[in-house]
Amino acid sequence: MEMSESSPRPKRVNDLISESENRPRSIKDQISESENILIKGTLELYQEYFVPKLDNIARQAYIQGNKVDTTFVKLLIEDPDENTPLKFVKDYITKNKEELRKQSKALKDLRDLEVKLLLEAVESENSDSLRKVLNWFENEVHEDKDMNRLIGIWEKFDDTSGASMTNKDVKKNNMAMIRACEKDNFEMVLTFFKFCFTIDAKKMRQANSNTFALSTNNRGSRFPLLCRYFENRDMEDILFHFRHFQATSKPAFMIGQLRNKIDDEYESDYDVLDQIQNGTFEFQSSFNNEDPVTESFHNAFVAKRLARDHVEYANKFKSIVKENRKFAVDMLDLCKTTDEAALFLSTAFKKETYFTETHIERMAHPRLEVAIVTRNIEFVAHDFCQQILRDKLMQSEETGELLPWNSTTFLDKGVYIISCIFLLPIFIVCKVVIDISMCCRPTSDSVGEDPENNENNEGVHRKNASRFFTFFTFPQNRFIAQSISLLVFLGFLITTVLEETIRFRWVIITFSLSHLLRDIGRFRESVKRKSFRFWDFYSMVTDVLLVSGASLAIVSTEISSDELKHDLRQTEACLTGIGVTLAITKLFYWCQLSSWLGPLAISIKKVFSDILMVTTAYLIFYLAFTVGIKYIMSVPISTEDAKKCGDDEIYNRFSTFFHKENTTDGALKTALWSMFDPGHPEYLGCAYGFARSTALTLWGLYQIVNITILINLLVALMNNTMALINKDKEKQWKFYRTEIWLRFLNDKGLCPPFNILDALINSFKCIDAQENKNKKKKEEKVKTKYVNLVSRLSRRYLRHVEDSDANDATREDLENAKRNILNHLKRQEKSVRQKD
């Protein structure tokens, strides 16, 4: 019985021991486990204040990593006692300054403490704590001369790169600021800006000039591969720089950068702030690098190129492109009036990044031009953009008058176009006379003009001018003149081909050279912005072919040798035939202006990429099967088979590669055309045997690949492309239509072939210094208005984000909750009073 009574006791003791082991240990018992000298010393010095608070945090939260350090950081961020915990840390540092200075680890721990505090504040989205920590480091720690000197040389330990290096600027590329940008928290990002923090993403942005690389070559050469100039690779990889670039491309960073510059320069003057709020203040500083809209387009431009150059990270860069394009569209969408949208479109910084100086001088809407270069389809297709462009097409650039094109009937439009056809020679003569008179006008004529007085009445002084002299000041009229010129040119081409005469060869050469002069200028622009434009290259090839063909036709008439003349005629016929085909096919380019034919023309152009991809695969199969079958069928047949088949070479089209006289067409030609006429096993001769059976097997597989796989694959790809186009068909059409519209808004010259006269007149035109000065004054005034507008749009954007459905609770929800709480408190107070 004694044994039975005493036997449970060891078990109950073990339970008590295990329970005591599982009981949470107090922070007081774990202070020695701290990995940070500053945290450990502060806790040992002020245990009575910190230990209860830390124990409370440890019980309420799940702690990962070092328990002491993590709870200490959480306390500093979440503690409501103002700066009391931070003051204790400062007191410990001050009391032990001499001892800490001798320990290199103490400097690293101070760095780690700052990083952890800032990161914890950002992760918890506690803006008040973030300002508190930054104020503490800025005004308490950094103000100490000895401590500030030591901080200036502390080591930078970056969790991303794992590299250790000296960094004298502790406010550059701070991980906490990068994280705040990734969260797109404007309030926190602006707080970092206020304390002079910044993020440097220059290495990524250098992609625009094709100089970005993770490796460098000190020996410059145009052919480094050929000369075998090896590169020195940096330790930091592309993902390290990507994170900086991604942070600077966030709307919070771009808007915060603008607001910080405005506040830094004008925050001391309250009258100035009121003027900024009202949009009437004249800024004196340049905002070339702080305009969030300009930066969003530039970020999309750079990210698109990086996605092309670094395909492994294409999805990461494409996400930046998508986000920045959307931000630009949102900013445009926040414009309240058409006037605001027109100002928004008329100004753009960093234009020299995309265009040459010549093109910049001609641009009427630089923001739209940049949107087209960066392929921001939604921005270009926006209602504001389309409405403004449509109005500008009908408006004279000199008199401001509007053509009633959109409000008239088809009959009226037809009569107007017919009148333009007959009066076009007179309009052209008047335009040439005006250009010559402007070229010969003395500079003094414009000295007295004041751009500020003429800003709202620009061109009104010419309202009473003759309609003959202002015809080409309307973009719509320039388009009509261009269309008439094109139809006349095609008429000459078709007449020349049908009559086979050289009467109009000089006319064709003149037209083609004038087209080539214009197309070369546009092609140079595309080379400048490093973007291939299909139709520019297409037009240049067409012009060269027509000029060459017409020239050979003229030369062939002066040659007496019949053989040489025959060869030239053949060459001329080929060049002219191809040129005429391309010239007529270019009508698809102008079909993009039509809402009916435009989507079809765009679809035809898009599916050519699918055709090219499948053609590449077909050529591989074509070469492989043709070579294999030819080698098998080149084996001589036996005498008996020859007696049965007769001359086997007549039937065996794979006996040779190329066509020979009195023999077959050859393997290459036969295999190529079988794509359009499959089958025909007789092409492999009539001799039976193992060789021919093997060749027939390969021939059958070749037919299966062509008919069953490649053609169906091409159809599937084209269907997918068409589905993508139909998904936003209207936006795609508006985008390509806008490209054509801008040609006539920017190019104010004559239609071909009279644009050659424009080039000659402009070459003799004098530069008016006073006119350029007035133009620059006007541009500066427009920029001032634009910065005021962007400042207002930025505030609207932030309010829009706060009220967005993407948030768990919008501003309206918070206001309703606040109102309900106040009403509940009033009811409670009223009931208490009634009881009393």
Side-chain angles (χ1 to χ4, degrees), residues 345-357:
L345 297 177
S346 64
T347 308
F349 301 110
K350 295 185 178 180
K351 297 187 290 289
E352 63 281 356
T353 304
Y354 315 97
F355 312 105
T356 60
E357 289 295 332

Side-chain angles (χ1 to χ4, degrees), residues 575-804:
L575 295 176
T576 304
I578 297 174
V580 170
T581 303
L582 295 178
I584 298 175
T585 306
K586 195 184 174 182
L587 289 174
F588 276 110
Y589 174 75
W590 301 106
C591 287
Q592 294 176 117
L593 290 170
S594 169
S595 59
W596 179 47
L597 293 175
L600 175 63
I602 296 169
S603 302
I604 292 174
K605 177 183 155 184
K606 292 286 187 181
V607 298
F608 267 101
S609 59
D610 298 329
I611 295 174
L612 180 62
M613 181 168 54
V614 175
T615 300
T616 304
Y618 167 73
L619 290 176
I620 295 174
F621 285 115
Y622 165 70
L623 183 62
F625 280 97
T626 303
V627 172
I629 296 173
K630 187 270 170 189
Y631 184 77
I632 295 173
M633 296 307 298
S634 63
V635 177
I637 62 175
S638 62
T639 306
E640 295 181 0
D641 289 337
K643 291 179 180 179
K644 295 178 181 178
C645 296
D647 190 358
D648 185 66
E649 290 186 356
I650 297 177
Y651 303 97
N652 182 8
R653 299 191 178 185
F654 285 85
S655 59
T656 59
F657 262 120
F658 304 101
H659 172 73
K660 292 183 179 181
E661 294 184 3
N662 301 324
T663 59
T664 64
D665 290 334
L668 293 176
K669 181 178 179 181
T670 302
L672 177 65
W673 290 105
S674 67
M675 180 75 177
F676 307 98
D677 187 17
H680 300 288
E682 65 273 10
Y683 289 167
L684 276 70
C686 62
Y688 291 93
F690 180 73
R692 183 173 185 272
S693 299
T694 304
L696 283 172
T697 303
L698 290 178
W699 180 249
L701 290 175
Y702 178 65
Q703 306 293 325
I704 292 174
V705 168
N706 287 343
I707 308 303
T708 308
I709 299 177
L710 292 182
I711 291 181
N712 290 324
L713 181 62
L714 177 61
V715 171
L717 289 173
M718 293 171 68
N719 286 334
N720 184 56
T721 301
M722 292 298 297
L724 292 175
I725 294 174
N726 289 329
K727 187 177 181 181
D728 55 349
K729 178 175 62 175
E730 184 178 357
K731 293 180 181 179
Q732 292 271 356
W733 166 64
K734 288 180 179 179
F735 179 84
Y736 287 101
R737 183 184 65 171
T738 302
E739 277 191 296
I740 302 176
W741 276 0
L742 288 175
R743 286 184 55 178
F744 300 100
L745 286 168
N746 296 334
D747 189 0
K748 301 176 182 179
L750 294 169
C751 57
F754 303 100
N755 60 323
I756 297 177
L757 295 176
D758 272 335
L760 293 175
I761 294 172
N762 291 333
S763 63
F764 293 102
K765 190 174 182 180
C766 301
I767 299 175
D768 193 338
Q770 182 63 31
E771 185 179 351
N772 289 339
K773 185 178 179 181
N774 293 340
K775 185 178 179 181
K776 288 182 180 179
K777 286 183 179 179
K778 183 179 177 181
E779 289 178 352
E780 290 300 323
K781 193 168 184 179
V782 171
K783 285 182 180 179
T784 298
K785 292 182 178 180
Y786 171 77
V787 173
N788 279 290
L789 173 63
V790 172
S791 179
R792 296 196 303 271
L793 292 178
S794 299
R795 290 191 291 271
R796 294 175 194 171
Y797 178 83
L798 295 175
R799 289 195 295 268
H800 172 72
V801 171
E802 290 179 358
D803 294 337
S804 174

Side-chain angles (χ1 to χ4, degrees), residues 187 799 801-804 807-822:
E187 186 177 0
R799 289 195 295 268
V801 171
E802 290 179 358
D803 294 337
S804 174
N807 297 327
D808 293 334
T810 63
R811 179 187 291 271
E812 184 179 357
D813 296 333
L814 296 177
E815 292 294 335
N816 292 335
K818 178 182 176 181
R819 196 178 301 109
N820 293 334
I821 293 173
L822 291 175

Side-chain angles (χ1 to χ4, degrees), residues 370-600:
V370 174
I372 288 175
V373 171
T374 56
R375 310 296 294 178
N376 195 335
I377 295 177
E378 289 191 12
F379 186 91
V380 176
H382 195 278
D383 293 340
F384 274 136
C385 295
Q386 297 300 307
Q387 180 61 39
I388 291 170
L389 281 181
R390 197 173 187 85
D391 292 342
K392 289 293 183 182
L393 276 172
M394 308 305 164
Q395 185 178 20
S396 172
E397 290 129 356
E398 290 191 9
T399 65
E401 296 171 322
L402 289 172
L403 281 176
W405 183 270
N406 298 322
S407 59
T408 56
T409 62
F410 284 104
L411 178 61
D412 192 11
K413 292 177 182 177
V415 173
Y416 180 74
I417 292 173
I418 293 172
S419 67
C420 290
I421 294 174
F422 289 103
L423 296 176
L424 185 59
I426 300 177
F427 295 146
I428 292 173
V429 172
C430 292
K431 176 69 165 59
V432 172
V433 170
I434 291 176
D435 290 343
I436 294 175
S437 64
M438 294 292 290
C439 182
C440 299
R441 186 187 64 174
T443 306
S444 59
D445 291 351
S446 61
V447 171
E449 295 179 2
D450 186 358
E452 294 184 4
N453 295 334
N454 293 336
E455 178 190 359
N456 297 325
N457 299 311
E458 183 183 2
V460 176
H461 62 283
R462 297 197 59 186
K463 254 186 182 179
N464 296 323
S466 172
R467 298 294 184 266
F468 291 100
F469 291 97
T470 60
F471 177 82
F472 280 98
T473 63
F474 292 87
Q476 179 68 17
N477 287 342
R478 294 199 290 267
F479 167 69
I480 294 174
Q482 171 72 27
S483 303
I484 296 172
S485 172
L486 177 62
L487 293 176
V488 171
F489 176 55
L490 292 178
F492 278 118
L493 277 179
I494 295 173
T495 302
T496 301
V497 172
L498 294 179
E499 294 185 0
E500 298 183 3
T501 179
I502 64 169
R503 286 188 302 168
F504 303 119
R505 297 292 183 177
W506 284 109
V507 177
I508 292 174
I509 291 176
T510 305
F511 267 98
S512 300
L513 288 177
S514 64
H515 288 152
L516 186 61
L517 177 65
R518 181 195 57 196
D519 295 333
I520 287 176
R522 291 175 58 82
F523 186 75
R524 287 177 57 193
E525 292 295 333
S526 63
V527 171
K528 162 67 178 176
R529 55 178 175 258
K530 301 178 181 65
S531 61
F532 177 77
R533 298 184 67 169
F534 171 76
W535 287 113
D536 293 340
F537 181 76
Y538 183 97
S539 299
M540 289 181 60
V541 172
T542 304
D543 299 335
V544 171
L545 289 173
L546 292 175
V547 170
S548 302
S551 301
L552 287 178
I554 295 173
V555 171
S556 64
T557 59
E558 304 296 331
I559 295 176
S560 57
S561 174
D562 293 337
E563 184 177 354
L564 180 58
K565 187 174 183 178
H566 177 72
D567 293 339
L568 287 177
R569 285 290 298 158
Q570 282 191 329
T571 305
E572 179 271 331
C574 293
L575 295 176
T576 304
I578 297 174
V580 170
T581 303
L582 295 178
I584 298 175
T585 306
K586 195 184 174 182
L587 289 174
F588 276 110
Y589 174 75
W590 301 106
C591 287
Q592 294 176 117
L593 290 170
S594 169
S595 59
W596 179 47
L597 293 175
L600 175 63

Side-chain angles (χ1 to χ4, degrees), residues 242 246 303 314-324:
F242 168 79
Q246 184 186 40
N315 289 334
K316 293 181 178 293
F317 291 115
K318 286 179 180 178
S319 65
I320 294 178
V321 173
K322 183 178 180 181
E323 183 176 20
N324 280 265

